[in-house]
Amino acid sequence: MNFFDRTGKIALGSRLRMLSAQMTDDAGKIYGMYQLDVSPNWFPVLFVLSQDGPMTITEIAEKISHSQPSVTKMAKEMLKKGLLEKQVSKEDKRRNTVRLTDKGEKNAQHIIDVQCKDVDAAVDELLSQANHNLWEALAEWEFLFEQKSLFERVKEQRKIREAKKVKIVPYSSAYKEIFKSLNEEWISKYFVMEKEDYKALEHPEEYILNPGGKIIVALYDGEPLGVCALIKMNDPDYDYELAKMGVSPKAQGKSIGYLLGKSVLEEAKELGAKKVYLESNTVLKPAISLYQKLGFKKVAHRPTPYSRSNIQMEKILD
């Protein structure tokens, strides 16, 4: 176990595979001890067919939570050993099932009536000697993985770690070009630059800052990779507009968009805003998902200076 002490939890899969390989090896010896010419891998198929009768390969796969190709492979092996036989339904000729032969039934009954009792007793002895109940722990881990996979959990932790490298800073003239280029990049990729874009991006002081708006910049390890603006609105319903959010493609997946949006909304609160507005396009699915995560809700269509805008959203600040 010294190797796994050194690697830590990152080798969890390798450790489980090693334990599984050891148990599978022992299972083969156990079948041999009872003079059964059965592979340990076949037990789930033997068991369900002995309990529930003939089934299709698809039905077996669903019952034992295996893939269909895996069950197909096992069935072929068991057919060769004379444990299974094919059966065609009299009612539906297209429905091909497999069932246990007499030999298969005999093997299955011996495993269930004799071998399982000895195995259960041995496992119970193991559990009584252990500080932790592995059987219950496995059920708990299976449940937790159903809620969220290990992949999703690692992805979340990566985002949390990388988000710590992000620093949100106020706009200064040093960031004028990056403010323009990051927005030009995504707008030109999906749409075309419009008159209102050029005005705000080429003259941010005049059209955003001087009227009472804000621009913030996200630095990742000191490099500016994200920008977002809060534009003062002359509107009876809304105080500010969240706009001109751009994030470098190389910064995707680092939560920069979310951190920018959250910071801009905090800025709006400090300025006394009650409602914030934004415009977008439904083709930008990640952006729409981000806005929803930030608490924005879709509103009825409003006049817009942008031809690309086909969705408007609002956020009521607490």
Side-chain angles (χ1 to χ4, degrees), residues 259-275:
L259 293 172
L260 282 168
K262 188 179 175 184
S263 296
V264 152
L265 292 175
E266 288 171 358
E267 291 276 2
K269 262 188 185 181
E270 289 182 13
L271 291 168
K274 301 298 181 185
K275 292 171 79 175

Side-chain angles (χ1 to χ4, degrees), residues 3-216:
F3 171 74
F4 295 114
D5 290 337
R6 290 168 59 197
T7 62
K9 298 177 183 68
I10 194 171
L12 175 63
S14 297
R15 190 167 187 173
L16 288 173
R17 279 194 296 274
M18 189 182 80
L19 181 61
S20 175
Q22 183 178 343
M23 294 185 72
T24 301
D25 184 59
D26 277 349
K29 294 175 183 176
I30 291 167
Y31 282 111
M33 182 173 67
Y34 290 95
Q35 298 181 337
L36 297 174
D37 188 15
V38 173
S39 168
N41 297 335
W42 303 342
F43 173 71
V45 178
L46 280 169
F47 182 83
V48 295
L49 290 178
S50 70
Q51 300 297 300
D52 302 333
M55 290 186 202
T56 64
I57 296 298
T58 301
E59 289 169 341
I60 296 171
E62 289 174 356
K63 284 272 188 180
I64 68 175
S65 300
H66 278 47
S67 68
Q68 192 165 327
S70 170
V71 175
T72 299
K73 181 175 181 293
M74 286 189 281
K76 286 180 178 178
E77 294 169 349
M78 295 170 73
L79 282 163
K80 286 182 181 178
K81 288 289 184 180
L83 300 172
L84 297 185
E85 61 185 6
K86 293 181 180 179
Q87 185 179 39
V88 179
S89 171
K90 293 179 181 178
E91 293 77 25
D92 185 355
K93 300 295 183 183
R94 296 168 299 177
R95 180 179 163 81
N96 295 317
T97 60
V98 290
R99 66 179 180 185
L100 294 178
T101 60
D102 290 342
K103 179 183 177 181
E105 286 283 5
K106 184 179 178 181
N107 276 269
Q109 271 324 115
H110 187 277
I111 293 168
I112 294 167
D113 294 342
V114 179
Q115 186 173 319
C116 280
K117 291 179 180 178
D118 295 343
V119 172
D120 281 348
V123 172
D124 284 340
E125 183 186 24
L126 265 173
L127 294 174
S128 69
Q129 294 172 1
N131 290 325
H132 307 287
N133 190 311
L134 179 61
W135 187 254
E136 292 178 2
L138 285 172
E140 188 174 21
W141 276 57
E142 287 164 352
F143 171 77
L144 292 172
F145 279 150
E146 283 178 9
Q147 311 311 303
K148 191 185 297 181
S149 71
L150 181 60
F151 171 74
E152 289 296 328
R153 293 170 189 272
V154 172
K155 189 163 73 169
E156 283 182 2
Q157 292 303 316
R158 180 189 178 190
K159 280 189 174 182
I160 292 170
R161 175 178 56 80
E162 293 193 329
K164 292 176 182 177
K165 298 180 181 180
V166 179
K167 184 179 180 183
I168 306 296
V169 300
Y171 173 86
S172 72
S173 58
Y175 300 120
K176 184 174 181 178
E177 284 306 312
I178 195 71
F179 178 62
K180 181 182 177 183
S181 64
L182 285 177
N183 275 287
E184 277 187 334
E185 187 173 13
W186 75 261
I187 294 171
S188 300
K189 179 178 179 180
Y190 295 99
F191 312 102
V192 294
M193 291 282 288
E194 300 181 42
K195 179 182 176 182
E196 293 298 317
D197 293 316
Y198 287 113
K199 282 166 53 176
L201 296 177
E202 292 179 355
H203 308 284
E205 290 86 357
E206 181 181 350
Y207 287 95
I208 299 175
L209 300 176
N210 294 344
K214 297 272 188 178
I215 299 174
I216 58 174

Side-chain angles (χ1 to χ4, degrees), residues 236-254:
D237 298 318
Y238 301 105
D239 304 298
Y240 289 90
E241 177 185 1
L242 185 157
K244 297 296 178 280
M245 181 187 286
V247 178
S248 171
K250 67 180 180 180
Q252 301 296 331
K254 302 185 189 303

